[in-house]
Amino acid sequence: MKNFLLAFSAILLISTCHSQGLLQGKEKFTHQDTLRGSITPEREWWDLTYYHLDIEIKPELKFISGKNTIYYKVVSEPNEFMQIDLQQPMEITKAIQDGKELEVQIEGNANFILIPTKQNIGDIKSIEIHYNGYPREAKRAPWDGGFSWKKDQNGKHFIATSCQGLGASVWWPNKDHMYDEVDSMLISVTNPKGLTNVSNGRLRKLVKNNNNTVTSHWFVSNPINNYGVNVNIGDYVNFSEVFKGEKGDLDMNYYVLKENLEIARDHFKDAPKMMKAFEHWFGPYPFYEDSFKLVEVPYLGMEHQSSVTYGNQYKQGYLGRDLSGTGWGLKFDFIIIHEAGHEWFANNITNKDIADMWIHEGFTSYSENLFLDYYYGKEASADYVIGTRANIQNDKPLIGTYNVNNEGSSDMYYKGANMLHTLRQLIEDDEKWRQMLRGLNSEFYHQTVTTKQIEDYLSEHSGIDLTEFFNQYLRTIKIPTLEYEIKKGELKYRWTDIVEGFDMPIQVDIDGKSEWLFPKAKWQTKNIKSDSFNIDRDFYVNSNKI
């Protein structure tokens, strides 16, 4: 991680934390990008129903081995091949179905398994994928992905995975595309005795083996995206509490290194505060059945479903810094609030294509100021989100290139948040806005979605045609500019730097009174009594007085 002085650099740090090398302005794409990022014929004929990932991790060798048993439903006329993704240098050693070993044809990181037996539409089938190898080691986790093989201050192994963007296939074989989430999953991890593994969901059982190893079995009862699956191994201690939530009692568990137990007990008070605020704004936590966990790891953190990882050094803000420059960012631990916010936007509502990752990061970055809104009020939250505008670069659109595993600009974080803050002003009814946010999490509960679905929902429930609004903020780098002139008691105004048809109204202060203007691309005029004219700061726009 580089030292930096400007908030501009800070947002790059956050963005690459989640993107792992994808935010590099890639414009030319390879066949491997297409195999990774598209719904290939070898993927589309089968629907995931269940995974049993059963692996052994050998920290001294930095080696993993095991198998993933994949259960699936045949949903269309089967292709001759099934695509299973596993990134080199990991390798599939064999694939077995109905007791027979199958042919595997390797094409880079895509493995095409020849399916010789008849597969009928509606059938539920399973296939065992055996594999092993030395998985990619994350050099600067979580900025690049893979395994983090670290040691704690007592010299004990401290291990974790992180793989968003790069893909879960960096360490285990799966259908590595966002559109198809497995319905449920069992994660069985064998590791050396004396260490604890924490994965997603709930611990079903812990088995002590005869060879100085232990095997933990974690069951995830809800749909989960591939990159949300994680392994965290360390000399952990656990403490817990029960949150009285909208759907009843929610188990909240915390796993930290032994030496950090006391500081964690105090610092993690932000977790139930987060849960209370976000259930208010977004609706019930989406994974009551699987509990909520914060797990200490040797990197900054990530939104792994029901197993949110934490490495913010028990500091407020982002490693002790306020990314908004307003002071409000030091009122909460950034990693706890932001990464847990992803339980609603990323884990509950998940983009079908990573090109639409603004859905994850825009709404979750916006959740930071909604947390402040809940505890400190509307003006504090506005200060915060407006302060983050200094981080916006407007280098490229928020939506990336589809079907090649390519996300859009890092502006998806705080340009996305300020777009949503602007939309809140257009709604003019905070309770209606809250119900819209809650409605999103209800309407698209445990689903993968497209940008269009989100746009259509917000247009329908706001009662406003937001087509040009989203075209402007999501698909261009142009910021609407209110150009105006005041002469002899007349205000002349219009929008510039806009897409065709953009006509967003805006609140302004004229002669000391707040009122709405309805600018268009053509000049309009209005009589005013003085030269007193200011644009409401809550709108993410530029202005140009001529």
Side-chain angles (χ1 to χ4, degrees), residues 491-517:
L491 170 67
K492 186 179 177 182
Y493 60 94
R494 69 174 180 179
W495 283 126
T496 62
D497 296 324
I498 55 172
V499 298
E500 185 176 353
F502 183 86
D503 61 354
M504 181 181 76
I506 187 169
Q507 279 191 303
V508 296
D509 185 288
I510 300 176
D511 299 330
K513 295 181 179 181
S514 178
E515 60 179 279
W516 287 92
L517 286 184

Side-chain angles (χ1 to χ4, degrees), residues 53-67 86-87 89-91 93 130-136 146-147 149 159-161 168-173 188-191 231 233:
L53 180 62
D54 186 2
I55 61 174
E56 181 173 3
I57 297 177
K58 297 181 178 180
E60 294 295 341
L61 300 176
K62 298 183 178 179
F63 184 83
I64 63 176
S65 62
K67 65 179 179 179
L86 185 64
Q87 296 180 35
M90 303 300 292
E91 62 177 356
T93 56
H130 295 252
Y131 78 110
N132 64 34
Y134 301 89
R136 169 173 164 167
F147 259 76
W149 306 97
I159 302 162
T161 57
S169 57
V170 74
W171 66 276
W172 61 285
S188 301
V189 177
T190 300
N191 56 262
V231 166
I233 298 173

Side-chain angles (χ1 to χ4, degrees), residues 471-483:
N471 284 340
Q472 180 80 37
Y473 285 104
L474 293 177
R475 297 177 176 90
T476 78
I477 61 173
K478 298 186 293 186
I479 301 305
T481 298
L482 187 67
E483 192 169 75

Side-chain angles (χ1 to χ4, degrees), residues 302-315:
M302 189 69 73
E303 67 261 26
H304 302 109
Q305 183 174 309
S306 74
S307 182
V308 173
T309 48
Y310 175 84
N312 201 40
Q313 301 176 11
Y314 299 98
K315 294 179 179 179

Side-chain angles (χ1 to χ4, degrees), residues 17 43 52 55 57 82 98 157 441:
C17 161
R43 282 173 168 159
H52 179 195
I55 61 174
I57 297 177
M82 168 182 283
D98 299 328
H157 289 289
N441 279 278

Side-chain angles (χ1 to χ4, degrees), residues 181 347-351 442-449 453:
E181 293 186 341
N347 298 338
N348 184 38
I349 303 174
T350 308
N351 54 236
S442 175
E443 179 80 10
F444 302 113
Y445 184 73
H446 291 176
Q447 293 182 38
T448 58
V449 302
Q453 286 176 280

Side-chain angles (χ1 to χ4, degrees), residues 271-487:
K273 287 181 64 179
M274 169 279 302
M275 195 63 68
K276 186 176 182 181
F278 288 169
E279 285 211 333
H280 170 81
W281 282 108
F282 303 140
Y285 172 69
F287 309 106
Y288 270 71
E289 301 84 357
D290 292 325
S291 79
F292 174 85
K293 297 185 294 296
L294 274 180
V295 187
E296 186 173 2
V297 291
Y299 65 86
L300 186 62
M302 189 69 73
E303 67 261 26
H304 302 109
Q305 183 174 309
S306 74
S307 182
V308 173
T309 48
Y310 175 84
N312 201 40
Q313 301 176 11
Y314 299 98
K315 294 179 179 179
Q316 297 295 82
Y318 180 91
L319 292 171
R321 296 185 292 275
D322 174 13
L323 296 176
S324 75
T326 65
W328 291 112
L330 297 178
K331 297 294 186 180
F332 58 91
D333 184 308
F334 176 91
I335 292 300
I336 294 176
I337 304 308
H338 181 92
E339 303 305 344
H342 275 305
E343 294 280 42
W344 285 264
F345 293 98
N347 298 338
N348 184 38
I349 303 174
T350 308
N351 54 236
K352 284 187 176 179
D353 191 300
I354 202 169
D356 288 334
M357 202 168 103
W358 78 270
I359 298 169
H360 295 198
E361 301 301 350
F363 279 96
T364 302
S365 295
Y366 181 62
S367 78
E368 297 160 26
N369 73 292
L370 290 181
F371 175 85
L372 288 168
D373 190 302
Y374 188 84
Y375 288 104
Y376 300 98
K378 193 171 180 178
E379 287 304 305
S381 70
D383 285 347
Y384 178 84
V385 72
I386 292 167
T388 65
R389 291 176 188 170
N391 304 318
I392 299 172
Q393 303 170 69
N394 282 310
D395 58 344
K396 59 180 181 178
L398 300 196
I399 296 176
T401 303
Y402 290 102
N403 300 316
V404 287
N405 198 46
N406 174 255
E407 63 195 48
S409 169
S410 61
D411 285 343
M412 69 178 76
Y413 290 78
Y414 290 128
K415 183 177 180 181
N418 274 280
M419 176 187 73
L420 293 170
H421 184 65
T422 300
L423 181 54
R424 178 182 183 176
Q425 314 314 311
L426 298 178
I427 302 301
E428 292 190 90
D429 183 334
D430 287 346
E431 180 56 25
K432 180 178 180 179
W433 178 234
R434 183 173 80 95
Q435 293 304 326
M436 288 171 62
L437 295 172
R438 291 172 64 93
L440 278 170
N441 279 278
S442 175
E443 179 80 10
F444 302 113
Y445 184 73
H446 291 176
Q447 293 182 38
T448 58
V449 302
T450 64
T451 286
K452 186 177 187 306
Q453 286 176 280
I454 300 299
E455 289 181 85
D456 288 349
Y457 177 91
L458 293 173
S459 284
E460 178 185 351
H461 290 268
S462 67
I464 304 169
D465 183 353
L466 296 169
T467 303
E468 281 71 35
F469 175 86
F470 285 119
N471 284 340
Q472 180 80 37
Y473 285 104
L474 293 177
R475 297 177 176 90
T476 78
I477 61 173
K478 298 186 293 186
I479 301 305
T481 298
L482 187 67
E483 192 169 75
Y484 68 97
E485 181 181 32
I486 300 175
K487 281 185 178 180

